[in-house]
Amino acid sequence: MISVNDEAAALVIHHAVQPSAQILYEMWLKDIAMEAQRFSGHMGVNIIRPHSPSSRYTIVLRFDSNKNLKSWLESETRKRFIEEVRPALVDEEEIGVQTGLEYWFTPPAVKQIHARPSKQFLITLSAIFPLTVILPWLLKPVFTLIPLLGHPIVNNFVLAVIIVYLMVYVIMPRYTRLVATWLFE
């Protein structure tokens, strides 16, 4: 089984689905995603559907700790769902655990391709720069009101925490999907 520690992590699952079973698989995906939400530490699921001619789905489940991820992975609920979908799959599922931003720059594909560093730079800059302009402006009243937050090191740390959180959990998952065609060409 997969070795996990106590850091936040994403469970990345690849399924190659038989073309004749795609509608059933989509219904199954909806059911298992709803069930996973009931597990402790679940932080969301992203489903990346296949691009022609592939039949390969990528499912990313985020958990607040590897302990909670392992709990879902080894649960009887998940095992039951996997047994149910097994006939619809071309072969066994591929499972991996990843952390940080590296997943968002590695697209799901049979042949692993990566975004060019210059494109990663542009995407990241275009997401971070507006945050570095808007967040200090929005938080200035709070920094003024609370003297400790007015200290440059403290308010820069607070801004960095907010920006990194927004990038990892809110912006990059959606943004990379939005620009995926350009990013991975």
Side-chain angles (χ1 to χ4, degrees):
M1 189 53 67
I2 296 171
S3 166
V4 293
N5 56 35
D6 288 321
E7 297 177 22
L11 177 63
V12 182
I13 305 165
H14 299 285
H15 286 157
V17 179
Q18 296 180 22
S20 62
Q22 205 157 7
I23 293 171
L24 290 172
Y25 182 80
E26 286 283 343
M27 293 183 336
W28 174 87
L29 263 180
K30 186 184 288 187
D31 292 342
I32 194 169
M34 289 178 64
E35 197 64 35
Q37 291 176 5
R38 296 183 182 150
F39 274 71
S40 180
H42 183 270
M43 295 175 65
V45 62
N46 295 92
I47 299 167
I48 303 169
R49 289 173 171 79
H51 302 298
S52 294
S54 175
S55 65
R56 184 175 159 114
Y57 282 74
T58 300
I59 301 100
V60 182
L61 290 115
R62 294 202 172 274
F63 287 86
D64 64 353
S65 72
N66 280 331
K67 179 182 174 189
N68 286 332
L69 180 148
K70 188 175 180 181
S71 174
W72 163 251
L73 191 59
E74 295 176 353
S75 72
E76 290 303 316
T77 302
R78 183 178 187 283
K79 289 176 186 174
R80 187 183 79 245
F81 270 97
I82 295 304
E83 285 306 313
E84 178 184 314
V85 80
R86 196 173 307 264
L89 302 179
V90 173
D91 51 22
E92 289 297 313
E93 68 181 352
E94 296 174 32
I95 298 175
V97 174
Q98 296 188 5
T99 59
L101 288 175
E102 78 271 2
Y103 175 73
W104 300 112
F105 289 113
T106 307
V110 175
K111 176 185 167 203
Q112 284 294 323
I113 58 172
H114 299 278
R116 290 195 326 240
S118 59
K119 289 185 176 186
Q120 289 182 35
F121 171 81
L122 290 173
I123 294 299
T124 305
L125 179 65
S126 69
I128 289 177
F129 179 71
L131 292 175
T132 63
V133 172
I134 295 168
L135 284 177
W137 178 75
L138 287 175
L139 295 174
K140 187 175 182 178
V142 175
F143 292 156
T144 306
L145 188 63
I146 303 170
L148 175 63
L149 295 179
H151 191 276
I153 291 176
V154 175
N155 69 30
N156 284 330
F157 177 76
V158 169
L159 287 169
V161 168
I162 293 170
I163 289 170
V164 170
Y165 178 84
L166 289 172
M167 288 293 292
V168 172
Y169 296 108
V170 179
I171 296 169
M172 291 310 284
R174 291 163 181 84
Y175 193 25
T176 53
R177 278 195 310 266
L178 180 68
V179 297
T181 303
W182 172 80
L183 186 61
F184 299 112
E185 66 182 13

